[in-house]
Amino acid sequence: MPAGTAPPVGAGSATSSEDPAGTAAEHGRVAIVGMGPGDPGLLTLRAAAELERADTVIVSRAHCPPEILAHCRPDVEIIDSADGDPVQHARRAAREGRRVVRLLWGDPGLACGLADEGGALAQAGVPFEVVPGVSAVTGVPGYAGIPLTDADNREVRVVDVARGGVDWERFAAPGATLVILNAENAVGEVCKSLVAAGRPDSTPAAMTSHGTTTEQETVVSTLQKLASDTKGMESPALIIVGDVVGWRDRLSWFETKPLFGWRVLVPRTKEQAASLSDQLRAYGAVPDEVPTISVEPPRTPQQMDRAVKGLVTGRYEWVVFTSTNAVRAVREKLVDYGLDARAFAGLKVAAVGEQTAAALVEFGVQPDLTPSGEQSGEGLAREWPPYDEDLDPINRVLLPRADIATDVLIARLTELGWECDDVTAYRTVRAAPPPAPIREAIKGGGFDAVLFTSSSTVKNLIGIAGKPHKVTVIAVIGPQTAKTAEEYGLRVDVMAEKPSAAALAEALAEYGTRWRASRAEAGEPPRKPSQMRRGARRRR
């Protein structure tokens, strides 16, 4: 049935000649859901809720960010729309009583499949509903810093040229902003047609490819020059025509982020890297988390068993946590014994830094001591109070640590009159090598930057994956890590002002800002470090 004569949207309760007995499933239904124009963060709350409830999801896997499907249950059935007719898949699953989500790019009702697929479902008598999404028509210009209307331009017209046959005379009015879809392979023809229809060839025009993603690229030009200026630009892309394009210089916010599009290697475990990766994304970067160590239980757990018993029976005055791994190890041991944070009642607790303190707070324990300066064992040692037999009823300290921990902290506490129980809470071993594409990117210059948060991450990364390429920006957390990196022949470009992961990410962002500024000052395009290596694709 032609789209123009399909039953109205929502007519899914009807039965069709293919289902004369009205056997459409009483409990199954289809949700036609828009997933936005590219950025997974633009998925709506309603869309996320539908994905969480879905039994079957039908989507083009090649065009769906994995973060979108992360909203689904582990047992969800995912069908690639490239494997047969998506409507047939949806009908089958719905008639089996399943909750079906049909994911469509952008907004289902705008230059997408709602008319065709929704009409076919309605004709087949399959119940369905529509969950609108952020359309590329509005989302991409917004990320490009181009408002579609302003005080002088109050009309927007959308043109889809996918099937050709456009009457360009209808779009000649100079006061209307045009958003042109599916014109990536016909830019010259579109611009010539608009000029022939009466638009001045000096009319501002812009083209944005890979909109709302970290691969986004926008070229600002005129109708006369747009085709030549965007030669080789990748799809998907859309064109904006009109005076509103002039706002881009003032409103570009996405592509001007300090680390926009930078691929940054974070050599830490996924749990340790979570907050750091979120911070990098806020700066526009694309973090890649590569574990360099593997955390394993101690070979002999008896030490930890005795330590936990001593913790709850009053053997210790202080417990010192020098890493989030130590917090996790003790927490898991307490849970094994049916205990919780109340086991720390009456104890004083120290944390080596902000992240370790945050892990303790998450467990329900508020640290009594965290170094105000350097966040390390040495920093904690400098602020540790001396043992006072009149004030401290017990002089014993518990240190649950890694098997390779240094002795600096214990030596200092001993000098101050404390007795320390140094207990192996976990072992650290070198992680397995990352997949071949990651190793090749590290050695071949595919990463723009790498963050080293300790000397061990330098040693272990090089040990399992090789030395980063010379174009890669090397950022380190402090002087000792810098020294280790230099010993391994690396050029250190960035060092954090204070030894914390957050400060390291901030320092890299400041470097990125200076990098962009220096290239702009030289009149060069804002290429990333990885694009400076021989043979790399260059942005215009």
Side-chain angles (χ1 to χ4, degrees):
M1 178 180 288
T5 59
V9 171
S13 59
T15 58
S16 72
S17 58
E18 298 177 27
D19 188 19
T23 57
E26 295 179 8
H27 302 293
R29 67 174 179 82
V30 178
I32 302 175
V33 176
M35 62 179 174
D39 181 355
L42 294 179
L43 191 74
T44 67
L45 292 174
R46 174 69 186 284
E50 289 291 344
L51 287 169
E52 289 168 6
R53 291 192 292 262
D55 301 309
T56 298
V57 174
I58 304 168
V59 65
S60 171
R61 295 297 294 262
H63 301 99
C64 181
E67 295 90 340
I68 299 282
L69 296 180
H71 290 278
C72 300
R73 301 193 315 265
D75 62 341
V76 70
E77 175 190 31
I78 298 177
I79 299 175
D80 194 330
S81 58
D83 298 333
D85 181 0
V87 174
Q88 295 294 336
H89 286 305
R91 287 173 56 194
R92 173 193 57 77
R95 287 175 172 169
E96 292 172 356
R98 301 173 70 82
R99 298 177 70 99
V100 182
V101 167
R102 170 63 169 123
L103 276 177
L104 292 172
W105 184 80
D107 178 82
L110 190 52
C112 208
L114 176 58
D116 292 336
E117 295 192 24
L121 289 170
Q123 184 180 22
V126 178
F128 70 92
E129 57 188 85
V130 178
V131 179
V134 175
S135 170
V137 171
T138 54
V140 173
Y143 271 55
I146 301 175
L148 297 181
T149 63
D150 58 17
D152 300 318
N153 301 274
R154 302 164 72 179
E155 180 183 359
V156 180
R157 307 191 72 180
V158 180
V159 190
D160 185 354
V161 303
R163 300 181 182 179
V166 178
D167 180 5
W168 292 105
E169 298 287 341
R170 298 171 53 199
F171 305 103
T177 300
L178 300 184
V179 180
I180 304 171
L181 307 174
N182 296 309
E184 299 97 326
N185 300 317
V187 179
E189 180 183 340
V190 166
C191 293
K192 288 177 183 178
S193 298
L194 282 170
V195 172
R199 288 257 182 168
D201 61 7
S202 59
T203 301
M207 186 166 171
T208 297
S209 69
H210 295 291
T212 78
T213 75
T214 50
E215 291 296 313
Q216 178 173 305
E217 182 178 6
T218 302
V219 172
V220 173
S221 186
T222 62
L223 287 179
Q224 183 182 26
K225 298 180 179 179
L226 187 65
S228 59
D229 288 347
T230 59
K231 189 175 181 180
M233 211 162 172
E234 297 179 353
S235 61
L238 60 71
I239 297 172
I240 306 166
V241 178
D243 290 340
V244 294
V245 171
W247 284 99
R248 169 157 166 94
D249 286 343
R250 285 164 284 176
L251 300 183
S252 178
W253 63 273
F254 186 53
E255 293 169 64
T256 54
K257 287 189 173 188
L259 300 176
F260 179 74
W262 282 37
R263 188 181 180 192
V264 179
L265 179 65
V266 183
R268 313 182 88 194
T269 64
K270 191 170 289 291
E271 293 81 7
Q272 291 174 315
S275 60
L276 178 55
S277 294
D278 288 343
Q279 187 178 358
L280 290 169
R281 289 188 190 97
Y283 294 134
V286 183
D288 241 319
E289 297 158 359
V290 176
T292 59
I293 63 169
S294 176
V295 177
E296 298 183 2
R299 288 192 175 89
T300 54
Q302 290 82 2
Q303 259 196 330
M304 275 290 284
D305 292 335
R306 288 194 295 270
V308 169
K309 182 178 179 181
L311 188 148
V312 298
T313 57
R315 175 178 171 80
Y316 302 108
E317 177 79 1
W318 282 91
V319 182
V320 183
F321 290 97
T322 56
S323 70
T324 57
N325 288 326
V327 176
R328 186 180 303 109
V330 171
R331 182 174 181 173
E332 289 173 354
K333 182 62 71 172
L334 288 172
V335 170
D336 288 344
Y337 283 105
L339 301 171
D340 56 24
R342 288 173 291 185
F344 289 91
L347 284 164
K348 295 176 185 175
V349 179
V352 76
E354 295 171 0
Q355 288 185 308
T356 304
L360 283 165
V361 170
E362 183 185 354
F363 184 33
V365 179
Q366 185 65 48
D368 299 282
L369 177 63
T370 302
S372 57
E374 180 183 343
Q375 297 187 4
S376 65
E378 292 86 344
L380 186 60
R382 283 194 287 270
E383 299 185 29
W384 196 271
Y387 171 68
D388 187 323
E389 60 182 10
D390 295 324
L391 298 176
D392 301 308
I394 305 169
N395 74 333
R396 192 169 293 277
V397 178
L398 172 62
L399 282 89
R401 306 192 298 169
D403 57 332
I404 58 171
T406 62
D407 295 330
V408 175
L409 181 58
I410 289 181
R412 175 59 178 158
L413 266 58
T414 302
E415 287 176 9
L416 293 170
W418 297 93
E419 292 185 18
C420 299
D421 281 0
D422 186 13
V423 174
T424 299
Y426 61 95
R427 291 183 300 122
T428 56
V429 298
R430 182 174 287 180
I438 296 290
R439 299 198 303 272
E440 291 165 6
I442 291 171
K443 293 182 285 189
F447 284 99
D448 298 288
V450 57
L451 300 186
F452 287 118
T453 54
S454 66
S455 291
S456 63
T457 58
V458 177
K459 299 172 185 175
N460 290 336
L461 181 71
I462 292 175
I464 65 175
K467 187 184 297 185
H469 192 278
K470 62 182 180 181
V471 301
T472 306
V473 175
I474 305 298
V476 300
I477 202 165
Q480 185 59 50
T481 306
K483 180 181 178 183
T484 303
E486 289 166 350
E487 288 173 353
Y488 277 81
L490 300 179
R491 176 201 68 251
V492 174
D493 303 291
V494 179
M495 186 163 66
E497 288 188 3
K498 61 178 184 177
S500 76
L504 179 57
E506 184 178 352
L508 181 63
E510 291 171 355
Y511 180 91
T513 298
R514 294 193 300 272
W515 171 280
R516 293 177 64 91
S518 65
R519 298 195 63 78
E521 203 173 297
E524 298 176 351
R527 294 178 190 145
K528 300 178 293 184
S530 61
Q531 292 172 321
M532 304 301 289
R533 72 190 193 280
R534 183 177 299 175
R537 178 172 99 62
R538 304 196 169 201
R539 294 174 75 96
R540 65 196 102 249

